[in-house]
Amino acid sequence: GGTRGPVAVRAGEVLTPAARDWLREKGVEVVYPQGQTEGGERPSARYRTISGAVLAEKPEHMTHLKGNILVDKDHPRIAFRGCIDSLEAEILLAQQACAGAGCPALAQELEEVLAFVRRFIRFDVLDEPVGEIALCGYGPDELREYSHYPEKHLGQPHFMPHYTDSPAILAVNKVRTEVRRTELAAYAAFRDADGVVKRPDIILGLNRLSSLMWIMMIKLKAGKYPREVK
């Protein structure tokens, strides 16, 4: 979607370098409180850990969770952000495979998927809601329905991928597994001590994205994507 903004940083908080770069890339203006710099430091400011400890400097083994709150780099929220990074990389490789296999239409659909996945860092860091899920012409209910009953809707039953399948099918299947891994990482990242999920919208978004990957594989198997002959 279009850019939003500006994003206001509250006093004493900082954006992580990744968040700053993402916002700058998207042309979103960041507004800092009076007297606060981009790094977020006032002369008297200190880093804090989630346990409440105060640190004068950021240790190398720690990173920003949100604002000036530091966590260890193996914290579940940081692991989730790493999964999003890996998922983006797999989508790019799948786009390349689809284009090389003469299926630019699917490569273009994956561009929409990539844009959606790239928003998850913002959903996490800035506490933005995922909002309505609409991907490649499917709403959330359609994504679930079509992936559960593909023969009814697409004329092609579920199948087990095989090495003789096209490079495009195998590439999308790899993306599907990465989506599932990211969904599991999200459960670990956003589940509290009582097992309650604090960001069900993020879980739902990834679950429906997994459904879309199955739909893409089914459509590829059924020959429903226009092919470009080289």
Side-chain angles (χ1 to χ4, degrees), residues 138-206:
Y138 299 99
D141 294 338
E142 291 173 308
L143 287 166
R144 187 177 189 280
E145 172 72 15
Y146 277 49
S147 64
H148 277 62
Y149 306 103
E151 190 166 16
K152 173 184 175 183
H153 296 285
L154 300 168
Q156 168 67 46
H158 281 293
F159 66 96
M160 290 292 290
H162 191 264
Y163 78 91
T164 56
D165 281 320
S166 71
I169 287 178
L170 298 183
V172 174
N173 185 53
K174 184 65 166 64
V175 172
R176 180 189 63 80
T177 65
E178 198 66 35
V179 172
R180 296 295 288 175
R181 189 169 78 92
T182 304
E183 183 182 356
L184 290 175
Y187 273 113
F190 298 107
R191 186 178 56 220
D192 65 19
D194 296 322
V196 177
V197 175
K198 294 177 284 186
R199 290 301 304 268
D201 58 329
I202 286 181
I203 304 297
L204 178 63
L206 290 166

Side-chain angles (χ1 to χ4, degrees), residues 104-141:
L106 180 51
Q108 191 57 45
E109 282 194 354
L110 286 168
E111 188 71 20
E112 183 179 337
V113 170
L114 182 62
F116 178 59
V117 170
R118 283 176 170 163
R119 290 168 58 202
F120 274 79
I121 296 298
R122 185 179 181 117
F123 297 151
D124 177 15
V125 176
L126 300 180
D127 288 327
E128 285 195 358
V130 173
E132 183 180 358
I133 301 166
L135 292 167
C136 302
Y138 299 99
D141 294 338

Side-chain angles (χ1 to χ4, degrees), residues 47-48 57 129 131 136 176 179 201 208 214 226 228:
Y47 298 106
R48 293 184 177 274
E57 295 183 0
C136 302
R176 180 189 63 80
V179 172
D201 58 329
R208 294 301 183 262
W214 269 122
E228 181 182 80

Side-chain angles (χ1 to χ4, degrees), residues 39-150:
E41 291 289 327
R42 294 178 186 272
S44 60
R46 293 293 184 269
Y47 298 106
R48 293 184 177 274
T49 69
I50 53 176
S51 62
V54 177
L55 301 173
E57 295 183 0
K58 184 176 79 65
E60 285 299 319
H61 71 279
M62 303 191 82
T63 189
H64 293 279
L65 175 65
K66 184 179 179 181
N68 65 341
I69 305 298
L70 300 181
V71 292
D72 290 339
K73 290 183 177 179
D74 64 351
H75 187 278
R77 289 273 290 277
I78 307 306
F80 167 70
R81 294 171 193 176
C83 285
I84 291 295
D85 194 24
S86 296
L87 177 55
E88 290 178 23
E90 288 293 346
I91 293 169
L92 289 167
L93 289 172
Q95 287 181 285
Q96 187 178 69
C98 292
C103 194
L106 180 51
Q108 191 57 45
E109 282 194 354
L110 286 168
E111 188 71 20
E112 183 179 337
V113 170
L114 182 62
F116 178 59
V117 170
R118 283 176 170 163
R119 290 168 58 202
F120 274 79
I121 296 298
R122 185 179 181 117
F123 297 151
D124 177 15
V125 176
L126 300 180
D127 288 327
E128 285 195 358
V130 173
E132 183 180 358
I133 301 166
L135 292 167
C136 302
Y138 299 99
D141 294 338
E142 291 173 308
L143 287 166
R144 187 177 189 280
E145 172 72 15
Y146 277 49
S147 64
H148 277 62
Y149 306 103

